[in-house]
Every structure is written in structure tokens, then in C-alpha cells.
Amino acid sequence: MFVKIIFFLLNLIFIATASLSASDLILSDDLPPADGLTHQAVVNTENIEIIHDYNIFYSHKIELDLIRMDQSDVSFSSLIQPLNNTQHALNDCGIKLIVKSATTYKSHPSLLVWEDLEFSNEITKWENFFFQDRADYYTGVVIVDNINWSDDPELYHGIGYAPFLADNLALAGAERNFYLKKIAGHLVISRYFQEHTIAHEIGHAIFNLRHHPSVNNIMYPSNKKDLAVFSREQCQLAIKSPRVIPLDY
């Protein structure tokens, strides 16, 4: 009888511990708009230069702002090579990638876990707080630790907030307008980002491209080849984006 009681108590402790682990993770979307944050306070800024090929005629440019949470394990320096890989992919489109700013902001620990709008199916309080002061048609990379949509966080490397999601999610009125002008054009990357993650999510968020069936294409859903590229048709769509700026020579 004593053994049964001990076993029962151990089971209760296990269940309580498991419940605590699950509930202890407070998602950013569960917070009030400014949980201890009245504004996005800057911690520091850095300069990041992209390597451009001077043998290529660039007809357009993308200006990206990198937005990092101060408690993220992802450093700006770890993004330099992936950004240069992205520029290499954009060379075929004649698009120059420019990092306008790289800014680290003060953040709440729970804001390192990002819940994707595509799966939560709503613009949350945190997203309203985070994006409301961004200029219309702004383009940025938000750097967090994890993106919450799967039991296995390694399955999710990044999010591209594509304009077409406004239709997929049936957004309407002011919410649709807010999404298209403020949120679309942003990509979010986690610590599990891969070589092609930034280029792929730019394809969604800035070029408004959907997935492509060829493993040789940047927009293939996963496990792209090392030499994956944007197609000519995708490049033609890319330069029509309001977030891709024509260059005047």
C-alpha cells in the first residue's frame, strides 16, 4: 500500500511538472501590447556591409532593417554570410540588397518566441504594438530565438509575411490595411535559420512569391540545393513589388 501511495504521488509530481513546463512558456501574443515596454528602446546599432558584384548591372534595390531582440542568441555577425548568400541569389534579378540599419532592441524574454500570424489567424496585440510605428511598405528582418507553430522548433526556420496572406486569412477592412502596409514585407528568422532562409522569406514577404515545385528554385519549400536560384519569371514579379526600389543612374 505504501508503495502504491508513493507511486501515485510521483505521478502527480510528474503531471504537475509537465503542466508547468507547457504553461511556463508565455507566448508573445499572450502579453498585453507593452508588457513592461512602453516603446521599443534601442540597445545598440551596428553596420553591416553586403558584398556586391560590380560586374552586374543592378536595376533595383531592397533596403532592409535588421531588428534584433537583445536576449536572442542570434547575432548580427552570424547573418553576414547568409545575407551575402541572399545577395548572390538576387544577382540574377539585378536587385541590390542593402542593410540600412542593424538595431538591437530591449525585449521581454517571452518575446523571443514568435507566433506566426498564418497559424494564429489573427493580428495580435503584440503584433499591433510591434508594427504600428513602422513606415508603410517598410521591409525588415526580425530576429528571434524560436517561431512557435510546431512541436519541433527545428522544423521552422523563418516566416515571410507575404501580401497574399491577407487573402489566405480573409483579412478585411482596417485589419487588412494594417497587414498590407505594416506587417507584410517583414520576415522573421529563428536560431534554426539555414543558408537559404533569408532569400526564401524575402521571396514571400517582399516579392509576394508562393512556393515553387523545383528543388533548384529558392522558393522550393525545403531542402533546397546549394545553387538554388530565382527564376526569370520570379525576378520579373519581384521588381514589380512596391518594396523593391528602382535605381536611378
Side-chain angles (χ1 to χ4, degrees), residues 86-105:
T86 300
Q87 178 60 77
H88 183 73
L90 293 174
N91 282 343
D92 287 340
C93 298
I95 297 174
K96 179 183 285 189
L97 183 64
I98 297 170
V99 176
K100 279 176 55 183
S101 67
T103 308
T104 299
Y105 291 93

mmCIF file of all heavy atoms in Angstrom, residues 86-105:
data_model
loop_
_atom_site.group_PDB
_atom_site.id
_atom_site.type_symbol
_atom_site.label_atom_id
_atom_site.label_comp_id
_atom_site.label_asym_id
_atom_site.label_seq_id
_atom_site.Cartn_x
_atom_site.Cartn_y
_atom_site.Cartn_z
ATOM 1 N N THR A 86 22.240 35.589 -49.896
ATOM 2 C CA THR A 86 20.997 36.155 -50.421
ATOM 3 C C THR A 86 21.284 37.104 -51.572
ATOM 4 O O THR A 86 20.600 37.074 -52.601
ATOM 5 C CB THR A 86 20.231 36.898 -49.301
ATOM 6 O OG1 THR A 86 19.920 35.971 -48.258
ATOM 7 C CG2 THR A 86 18.948 37.515 -49.824
ATOM 8 N N GLN A 87 22.307 37.940 -51.408
ATOM 9 C CA GLN A 87 22.684 38.844 -52.495
ATOM 10 C C GLN A 87 23.074 38.056 -53.737
ATOM 11 O O GLN A 87 22.723 38.431 -54.863
ATOM 12 C CB GLN A 87 23.849 39.750 -52.071
ATOM 13 C CG GLN A 87 24.339 40.683 -53.177
ATOM 14 C CD GLN A 87 23.257 41.636 -53.669
ATOM 15 O OE1 GLN A 87 22.956 42.614 -53.011
ATOM 16 N NE2 GLN A 87 22.665 41.348 -54.825
ATOM 17 N N HIS A 88 23.784 36.962 -53.547
ATOM 18 C CA HIS A 88 24.175 36.127 -54.690
ATOM 19 C C HIS A 88 22.939 35.621 -55.432
ATOM 20 O O HIS A 88 22.895 35.612 -56.665
ATOM 21 C CB HIS A 88 25.024 34.955 -54.204
ATOM 22 C CG HIS A 88 25.541 34.088 -55.301
ATOM 23 N ND1 HIS A 88 26.554 34.479 -56.148
ATOM 24 C CD2 HIS A 88 25.153 32.850 -55.715
ATOM 25 C CE1 HIS A 88 26.794 33.524 -57.029
ATOM 26 N NE2 HIS A 88 25.949 32.524 -56.789
ATOM 27 N N ALA A 89 21.906 35.225 -54.674
ATOM 28 C CA ALA A 89 20.661 34.756 -55.299
ATOM 29 C C ALA A 89 19.935 35.891 -56.008
ATOM 30 O O ALA A 89 19.286 35.680 -57.039
ATOM 31 C CB ALA A 89 19.756 34.140 -54.240
ATOM 32 N N LEU A 90 20.052 37.119 -55.471
ATOM 33 C CA LEU A 90 19.368 38.274 -56.059
ATOM 34 C C LEU A 90 20.092 38.837 -57.276
ATOM 35 O O LEU A 90 19.520 39.624 -58.029
ATOM 36 C CB LEU A 90 19.217 39.378 -55.007
ATOM 37 C CG LEU A 90 18.284 39.081 -53.830
ATOM 38 C CD1 LEU A 90 18.354 40.208 -52.812
ATOM 39 C CD2 LEU A 90 16.858 38.871 -54.307
ATOM 40 N N ASN A 91 21.354 38.433 -57.464
ATOM 41 C CA ASN A 91 22.120 38.959 -58.599
ATOM 42 C C ASN A 91 21.433 38.658 -59.925
ATOM 43 O O ASN A 91 21.452 39.485 -60.847
ATOM 44 C CB ASN A 91 23.540 38.376 -58.603
ATOM 45 C CG ASN A 91 24.441 39.048 -57.578
ATOM 46 O OD1 ASN A 91 24.136 40.131 -57.076
ATOM 47 N ND2 ASN A 91 25.556 38.402 -57.258
ATOM 48 N N ASP A 92 20.828 37.479 -60.043
ATOM 49 C CA ASP A 92 20.150 37.103 -61.293
ATOM 50 C C ASP A 92 18.960 38.006 -61.580
ATOM 51 O O ASP A 92 18.516 38.112 -62.725
ATOM 52 C CB ASP A 92 19.677 35.649 -61.234
ATOM 53 C CG ASP A 92 20.829 34.660 -61.343
ATOM 54 O OD1 ASP A 92 21.901 35.059 -61.834
ATOM 55 O OD2 ASP A 92 20.663 33.502 -60.919
ATOM 56 N N CYS A 93 18.426 38.651 -60.539
ATOM 57 C CA CYS A 93 17.292 39.561 -60.714
ATOM 58 C C CYS A 93 17.751 41.005 -60.901
ATOM 59 O O CYS A 93 16.925 41.895 -61.133
ATOM 60 C CB CYS A 93 16.364 39.494 -59.506
ATOM 61 S SG CYS A 93 15.618 37.876 -59.201
ATOM 62 N N GLY A 94 19.062 41.252 -60.780
ATOM 63 C CA GLY A 94 19.563 42.621 -60.861
ATOM 64 C C GLY A 94 19.128 43.477 -59.690
ATOM 65 O O GLY A 94 18.956 44.692 -59.815
ATOM 66 N N ILE A 95 18.962 42.837 -58.516
ATOM 67 C CA ILE A 95 18.497 43.547 -57.326
ATOM 68 C C ILE A 95 19.640 43.627 -56.306
ATOM 69 O O ILE A 95 20.218 42.600 -55.927
ATOM 70 C CB ILE A 95 17.278 42.858 -56.700
ATOM 71 C CG1 ILE A 95 16.102 42.883 -57.686
ATOM 72 C CG2 ILE A 95 16.885 43.525 -55.390
ATOM 73 C CD1 ILE A 95 14.886 42.110 -57.222
ATOM 74 N N LYS A 96 19.933 44.825 -55.871
ATOM 75 C CA LYS A 96 20.981 45.049 -54.867
ATOM 76 C C LYS A 96 20.358 45.038 -53.478
ATOM 77 O O LYS A 96 19.366 45.720 -53.223
ATOM 78 C CB LYS A 96 21.668 46.389 -55.123
ATOM 79 C CG LYS A 96 22.771 46.725 -54.124
ATOM 80 C CD LYS A 96 23.360 48.104 -54.385
ATOM 81 C CE LYS A 96 24.260 48.101 -55.599
ATOM 82 N NZ LYS A 96 25.013 49.384 -55.738
ATOM 83 N N LEU A 97 20.960 44.253 -52.585
ATOM 84 C CA LEU A 97 20.498 44.173 -51.208
ATOM 85 C C LEU A 97 21.314 45.131 -50.350
ATOM 86 O O LEU A 97 22.549 45.092 -50.360
ATOM 87 C CB LEU A 97 20.654 42.744 -50.677
ATOM 88 C CG LEU A 97 20.147 42.459 -49.272
ATOM 89 C CD1 LEU A 97 18.633 42.649 -49.183
ATOM 90 C CD2 LEU A 97 20.525 41.048 -48.840
ATOM 91 N N ILE A 98 20.632 46.000 -49.622
ATOM 92 C CA ILE A 98 21.299 46.977 -48.762
ATOM 93 C C ILE A 98 20.731 46.858 -47.353
ATOM 94 O O ILE A 98 19.513 46.862 -47.161
ATOM 95 C CB ILE A 98 21.091 48.416 -49.283
ATOM 96 C CG1 ILE A 98 21.729 48.568 -50.668
ATOM 97 C CG2 ILE A 98 21.668 49.444 -48.311
ATOM 98 C CD1 ILE A 98 21.383 49.865 -51.361
ATOM 99 N N VAL A 99 21.615 46.726 -46.366
ATOM 100 C CA VAL A 99 21.184 46.745 -44.967
ATOM 101 C C VAL A 99 21.275 48.184 -44.477
ATOM 102 O O VAL A 99 22.356 48.721 -44.277
ATOM 103 C CB VAL A 99 22.054 45.821 -44.098
ATOM 104 C CG1 VAL A 99 21.648 45.942 -42.629
ATOM 105 C CG2 VAL A 99 21.907 44.370 -44.559
ATOM 106 N N LYS A 100 20.115 48.822 -44.333
ATOM 107 C CA LYS A 100 20.073 50.223 -43.888
ATOM 108 C C LYS A 100 20.501 50.362 -42.436
ATOM 109 O O LYS A 100 21.205 51.303 -42.063
ATOM 110 C CB LYS A 100 18.655 50.786 -44.046
ATOM 111 C CG LYS A 100 18.297 51.242 -45.441
ATOM 112 C CD LYS A 100 16.851 51.696 -45.511
ATOM 113 C CE LYS A 100 16.516 52.774 -44.489
ATOM 114 N NZ LYS A 100 15.084 53.152 -44.540
ATOM 115 N N SER A 101 20.051 49.436 -41.599
ATOM 116 C CA SER A 101 20.378 49.518 -40.184
ATOM 117 C C SER A 101 20.323 48.127 -39.571
ATOM 118 O O SER A 101 19.639 47.226 -40.078
ATOM 119 C CB SER A 101 19.408 50.441 -39.451
ATOM 120 O OG SER A 101 18.107 49.873 -39.437
ATOM 121 N N ALA A 102 21.063 47.954 -38.486
ATOM 122 C CA ALA A 102 21.033 46.716 -37.711
ATOM 123 C C ALA A 102 20.914 47.139 -36.243
ATOM 124 O O ALA A 102 21.880 47.585 -35.639
ATOM 125 C CB ALA A 102 22.289 45.899 -37.953
ATOM 126 N N THR A 103 19.717 47.022 -35.709
ATOM 127 C CA THR A 103 19.414 47.581 -34.394
ATOM 128 C C THR A 103 18.968 46.499 -33.426
ATOM 129 O O THR A 103 18.136 45.656 -33.768
ATOM 130 C CB THR A 103 18.301 48.647 -34.501
ATOM 131 O OG1 THR A 103 18.651 49.598 -35.500
ATOM 132 C CG2 THR A 103 18.102 49.360 -33.167
ATOM 133 N N THR A 104 19.536 46.526 -32.224
ATOM 134 C CA THR A 104 19.115 45.630 -31.161
ATOM 135 C C THR A 104 18.201 46.399 -30.214
ATOM 136 O O THR A 104 18.535 47.506 -29.784
ATOM 137 C CB THR A 104 20.328 45.076 -30.382
ATOM 138 O OG1 THR A 104 21.158 44.339 -31.282
ATOM 139 C CG2 THR A 104 19.880 44.156 -29.253
ATOM 140 N N TYR A 105 17.040 45.798 -29.901
ATOM 141 C CA TYR A 105 16.054 46.435 -29.033
ATOM 142 C C TYR A 105 15.917 45.677 -27.716
ATOM 143 O O TYR A 105 16.108 44.464 -27.652
ATOM 144 C CB TYR A 105 14.680 46.469 -29.718
ATOM 145 C CG TYR A 105 14.606 47.389 -30.900
ATOM 146 C CD1 TYR A 105 14.841 46.924 -32.190
ATOM 147 C CD2 TYR A 105 14.289 48.737 -30.740
ATOM 148 C CE1 TYR A 105 14.773 47.772 -33.289
ATOM 149 C CE2 TYR A 105 14.215 49.588 -31.828
ATOM 150 C CZ TYR A 105 14.460 49.104 -33.094
ATOM 151 O OH TYR A 105 14.387 49.940 -34.169
#
